Amino acid sequence: MTQKEAAPESYSYAKAGVSIAAGNALVRAIAPLAKSTSRAGANAELGGFGGFFDLKAAGYKDPLLVSANDGVGTKLKLAIDHDRHDGVGIDLVAMCVNDLIVQGAEPLFFLDYYATGKLESGVAERVIASIADGCKQAGCALIGGETAEMPGMYAAGDYDLAGFCVGAVEREQALTGSRVAAGDVLLGLASSGVHSNGFSLVRRLAADRGWKLERPALFDQDVLLIDALMAPTRIYVKPLLPLIRSGRIGALAHITGGGLLENIPRVLPDGLHAIVDADRWEQPRLMAFLQAQGNIESEEMARTFNCGIGMVLVVREADVADVTQALKAAGETVERIGQIEAGEKGCTVRGNAECWSAREAWTATHHG
């Protein structure tokens, strides 16, 4: 009598490492988070194949749609390594919505993409809760997203984030740089820290210099170094929207990768050059720490980090006082940092000796 053949192994998605149940549990957990971001035009119900948005209900008559997508970069690796997941969602939203507001657009709705090897619902929920927090700060609705569990694609504990946002602006209010003129003033809004750019350099310094990230920062004994580095990106949408709609802003530049030097020229028309005087504001202690730890030249700082300025406004001289007052009333720290001059399209950042620890006067120029 032949031995009974063993039944062939029965495969399932779960055996391959994907948990449908964990995914469903996460959707149940995040549904109320999404609902909390509801706004005019969006009902923020999750579970369909796509999210609807009603532009008429949002009050637009002749709108242009503007879209932006972004990630958080290697700041995520610090978040994963040090269990700091509660701010990266704000970073994700900020990187997108700050890019929309510089076109004059109000962020309307947001979609996120969260990918990991194995879904750890506690971590995913913390990240998505912070995305909802960012959406509330920006006034946009979280109307959908994708959570992908992909075994073998990511190391244990790792995940990646991407965000996509759509905004709208009435056609005549769009910021295109056409209203910028020689003699206009540059106003800078303070950043909340490193924001979400330059972290590959930050992480390299941390490794090479042996930073004790879980200890108080050398420059501020009240804050752990990791928390100073992980401070979420500031979202500038709500203070700027009324000023855009009243026509008092000529252009806006979101200071991300490329720093002050490379981002300001992106919003200038040909024939105009931005001059930024670094002496006009105090270098944040975190930036001074990074510069000292890496022996970073002042010119390199100007093209790598935001150096304390997260958003730059181009404003007519006659509007400077009103705009400054309105922004301060909205909780922003405002600095007059330079002006627009006739010249080759681009930006010059300059400082005197001792500005940003320089031993002599310095100038950095980028032609855009």
Side-chain angles (χ1 to χ4, degrees):
M1 199 170 118
T2 58
Q3 197 173 1
K4 195 171 179 187
E5 284 180 23
E9 182 187 354
S10 173
Y11 281 77
S12 70
Y13 216 15
K15 276 188 183 173
V18 177
S19 170
I20 301 287
N24 289 339
L26 180 63
V27 170
R28 282 194 299 275
I30 63 180
L33 296 172
K35 213 176 182 74
S36 74
T37 68
S38 184
R39 53 151 296 151
N43 55 14
E45 291 288 339
L46 294 187
F49 286 93
F52 284 102
F53 192 91
D54 184 342
L55 275 171
K56 244 183 196 146
Y60 285 90
K61 296 172 187 65
D62 183 21
L64 296 171
L65 289 180
V66 190
S67 58
N69 73 319
D70 215 328
V72 182
T74 54
K75 189 174 189 178
L76 268 186
K77 192 61 182 154
L78 275 182
I80 291 161
D81 291 346
H82 297 273
D83 191 35
R84 294 296 196 279
H85 307 285
D86 301 292
V88 291
I90 297 173
D91 285 305
L92 183 71
V93 175
M95 296 309 284
C96 294
V97 299
N98 287 341
D99 277 356
L100 292 183
I101 197 73
V102 299
Q103 321 276 327
E106 175 193 12
L108 299 175
F109 60 87
F110 192 88
L111 300 142
D112 69 285
Y113 174 80
Y114 178 101
T116 187
K118 181 174 172 28
L119 202 54
E120 296 175 44
S121 60
V123 171
E125 203 177 323
R126 283 164 68 191
V127 171
I128 294 164
S130 78
I131 292 171
D133 188 0
C135 286
K136 279 189 270 196
Q137 288 182 34
C140 68
L142 177 60
I143 66 169
E146 164 72 350
T147 304
E149 192 174 30
M150 301 190 282
M153 284 283 284
Y154 296 90
D158 277 358
Y159 62 87
D160 199 10
L161 274 183
F164 175 77
C165 195
V166 172
V169 57
E170 295 291 3
R171 194 177 299 270
E172 74 276 5
Q173 290 171 1
L175 297 182
T176 61
S178 60
R179 280 179 261 168
V180 180
D184 284 354
V185 174
L186 298 176
L187 297 178
L189 302 185
S191 64
S192 54
V194 186
H195 284 185
S196 272
N197 295 96
F199 272 92
S200 294
L201 177 53
V202 168
R203 289 179 58 246
R204 179 71 185 270
L205 284 174
D208 290 355
R209 297 283 184 268
W211 292 352
K212 303 287 190 285
L213 289 162
E214 302 285 351
R215 288 193 191 162
L218 292 173
F219 51 86
D220 187 345
Q221 291 296 298
D222 296 332
V223 180
L224 299 182
L225 179 53
I226 184 65
D227 292 329
L229 293 170
M230 294 301 296
T233 306
R234 192 162 181 81
I235 291 174
Y236 299 101
V237 170
K238 287 185 176 175
L240 290 173
L241 260 180
L243 295 171
I244 291 166
R245 287 173 171 165
S246 67
R248 284 178 289 176
I249 292 179
L252 290 166
H254 181 204
I255 308 306
T256 54
L260 291 157
L261 205 54
E262 295 183 13
N263 282 293
I264 297 174
R266 294 169 65 180
V267 301
L268 300 181
D270 286 337
L272 292 179
H273 194 90
I275 306 288
V276 175
D277 288 307
D279 301 274
R280 293 282 188 90
W281 75 97
E282 200 172 329
Q283 186 185 35
R285 288 177 295 174
L286 170 58
M287 295 294 166
F289 168 77
L290 293 172
Q291 185 174 8
Q293 290 282 305
N295 280 321
I296 303 170
E297 299 286 346
S298 301
E299 296 88 340
E300 183 67 15
M301 288 295 290
R303 68 163 53 86
T304 304
F305 295 113
N306 62 56
C307 299
I309 301 292
M311 183 70 74
V312 173
L313 295 66
V314 182
V315 177
R316 289 183 298 268
E317 180 72 64
D319 292 327
V320 167
D322 284 352
V323 168
T324 301
Q325 188 181 358
L327 289 167
K328 284 183 173 173
E332 297 300 322
T333 301
V334 189
E335 307 282 0
R336 182 173 174 141
I337 64 168
Q339 68 281 343
I340 301 292
E341 297 179 356
E344 188 181 349
K345 181 181 172 181
C347 178
T348 295
V349 181
R350 64 192 183 193
N352 291 317
E354 295 181 20
C355 174
W356 296 4
S357 308
R359 286 186 285 279
E360 54 193 35
W362 56 274
T363 299
T365 298
H366 175 80
H367 293 294

